[in-house]
């Protein structure tokens, strides 16, 4: 396994796949996403991020519908299909789905790689009507050591909380993958960029990490989505995107994860070393 401080690590190509899942059309969504994954892999990407609830759609109307569209994390049909694809293509995938664990549902992301199932993250901060269907994530903010680097995961509204990224950075995450379904924020001016773009750029800068956000597009059951996926470097500057507000698009960037180990801003300041945990309470 390649270590975070290994100076000979090759550059890593990352893709964020922005597309429009169709509500309830799991087989079609999985097939369409698989085509886009293949295209990203063919271009050289080894880490590919899909949106939140990418296989099912987002705006559930009932608990019965949400349950019917949910799957186990490790051996559900979507995990098996995308897991086989990850193995075939030699890539890592981070993709949102509705997870069923016993009688509990979670808004989750699966992490899959050439070696198979890597892990799952369960969304910690639920947005709006998600609270009617999902339980709050109970796994904390794990990081996943992989052959390409140390991956953290957060989902959509998790990005509104600085603690999300600080926890992941302190645990050693080099890149945080964000499956998301961003929606317009209250009082958002016409034409204003997504609030999430500002929040995630700030988080990348404040923690010295890469962040890769894959949003969806379209309008589902009256709910518009923001698009504007982006990939951000550890100094907070955008290195790919933002993508279109309303069109499918795959963003790709070639990154050097070793840069996430360099937290210094100058000869005196480092974003993690300068923390004053003695005065934060």
């Amino acid at each position: 396994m390649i270590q975070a401080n290994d100076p000979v690590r090759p550059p890593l190509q990352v893709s964020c796949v922005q597309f429009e899942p169709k509500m309830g059309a799991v087989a079609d969504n999985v097939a369409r996403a698989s085509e886009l994954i293949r295209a990203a892999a063919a271009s050289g990407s080894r880490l590919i991020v899909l949106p939140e609830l990418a296989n099912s759609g987002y705006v559930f109307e009932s608990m019965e519908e949400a349950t019917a569209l949910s799957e186990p994390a490790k051996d559900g049909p979507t995990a098996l299909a995308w897991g086989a694809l990850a193995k075939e293509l030699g890539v890592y995938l981070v993709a949102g789905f509705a997870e069923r664990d016993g009688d509990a549902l979670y808004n989750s992301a699966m992490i899959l790689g050439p070696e198979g199932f890597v892990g799952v993250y369960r969304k910690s901060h639920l947005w709006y009507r998600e609270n009617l269907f999902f339980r709050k994530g109970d796994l904390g903010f794990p990081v996943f050591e992989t052959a390409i680097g140390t991956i953290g995961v957060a989902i959509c509204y998790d990005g509104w909380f600085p603690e999300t990224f600080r926890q992941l950075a302190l645990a050693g995450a080099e890149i945080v993958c964000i499956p998301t379904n961003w929606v317009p924020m209250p009082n958002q001016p016409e034409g204003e960029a997504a609030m999430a773009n500002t929040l995630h750029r700030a988080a990348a800068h404040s923690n010295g990490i890469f962040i890769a956000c894959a949003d969806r597009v379209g309008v589902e059951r009256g709910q518009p989505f923001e698009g504007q996926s982006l990939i951000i470097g550890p100094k907070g500057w955008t290195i790919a995107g933002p993508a279109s507000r309303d069109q499918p698009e795959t963003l790709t960037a070639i990154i050097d994860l070793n840069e996430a180990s360099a937290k210094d801003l100058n000869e005196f300041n480092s974003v993690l070393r300068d923390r004053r945990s003695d005065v934060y309470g």
Side-chain angles (χ1 to χ4, degrees), residues 53-99:
L53 298 175
N55 67 333
S56 64
Y58 180 81
V59 185
F60 300 122
E61 289 186 333
S62 67
M63 190 66 183
E64 290 73 21
E65 181 179 53
T67 301
L69 293 172
S70 66
E71 303 179 12
K74 192 170 183 178
D75 56 2
T78 298
L80 292 177
W82 283 341
L85 189 59
K87 183 176 182 180
E88 174 193 342
L89 300 174
V91 300
Y92 287 87
L93 302 177
V94 180
F97 74 111
E99 180 192 358

Side-chain angles (χ1 to χ4, degrees), residues 3 28 31 38 50 57 64 68 88 95 99 109 137 140 157 165 169 221-222 226 235 244 247 251 254 256-257 273 279:
Q3 299 301 314
D28 289 345
R38 284 189 180 279
L50 300 181
E64 290 73 21
E88 174 193 342
E99 180 192 358
Y157 187 44
F165 300 100
R221 291 176 171 169
E226 283 281 77
K235 293 297 185 279
S244 165
Q247 296 299 314
L251 293 181
I254 297 175
D256 180 359
L257 286 182
R273 189 187 64 229
V279 298

Side-chain angles (χ1 to χ4, degrees), residues 195-260:
M195 176 62 72
N197 287 7
T198 298
L199 294 170
H200 288 80
R201 286 185 61 185
H205 175 82
S206 296
N207 293 284
I209 53 177
F210 289 91
I211 299 180
C213 306
D215 197 10
R216 64 161 291 168
V217 291
V219 179
E220 185 177 275
R221 291 176 171 169
Q223 174 63 65
F225 297 93
E226 283 281 77
Q228 302 175 74
S229 302
L230 75 169
I231 302 172
I232 311 159
K235 293 297 185 279
W237 305 114
T238 301
I239 54 179
S244 165
R245 285 181 177 272
D246 57 8
Q247 296 299 314
E249 185 175 345
T250 296
L251 293 181
T252 296
I254 297 175
I255 66 175
D256 180 359
L257 286 182
N258 293 301
E259 294 178 13

